[in-house]
């Protein structure tokens, strides 16, 4: 059975994204899209870009900008400042377009 893990979302960037060095030879760019959802509360979708995508997107993802993102779902597990382990679903970015 083949897995079909694809995501397509459109939303506004919550805050300017900044690239960072995760480890030697790997750069990452994280940003959050605010997406309209059913009801009156927006949905916040965390997005991660790595490698060549960072070079394409650095300085391009700015607060309030409306973007169309294609990618796939992934998990991220990390330990917060309070020592608690957290995990969440994120979008691994494969393509980004600015909405006109």
């Amino acid at each position: 059975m083949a897995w079909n893990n694809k995501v397509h979302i459109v939303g506004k960037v919550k805050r300017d994204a900044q690239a960072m060095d995760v480890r030697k030879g790997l750069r990452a760019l994280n940003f959050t899209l605010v997406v309209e959802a059913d009801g009156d509360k927006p949905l916040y979708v965390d997005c991660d870009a790595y490698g060549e995508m960072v070079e394409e997107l650095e300085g391009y993802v700015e607060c309030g900008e409306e973007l169309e993102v294609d990618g796939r779902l992934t998990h991220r597990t990390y330990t917060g400042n309070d020592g608690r382990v957290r995990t969440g679903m994120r979008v691994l970015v494969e393509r980004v377009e600015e909405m006109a």
Side-chain angles (χ1 to χ4, degrees), residues 21-73:
D21 293 318
V22 178
R23 62 177 182 260
K24 187 176 180 177
L26 180 62
R27 291 179 50 92
L29 186 95
N30 309 102
F31 59 95
T32 300
L33 290 182
V34 181
V35 178
E36 289 183 23
D38 293 335
D40 53 76
K41 291 187 179 183
L43 180 64
Y44 295 89
V45 179
D46 294 320
C47 301
D48 299 320
Y50 296 98
E52 292 178 15
M53 282 299 300
V54 174
E55 303 307 318
E56 288 181 38
L57 297 175
E58 191 170 14
Y60 172 69
V61 180
E62 298 177 343
C63 182
E65 185 173 31
E66 190 169 21
L67 299 178
E68 177 180 22
V69 174
D70 288 322
R72 55 191 164 98
L73 294 176

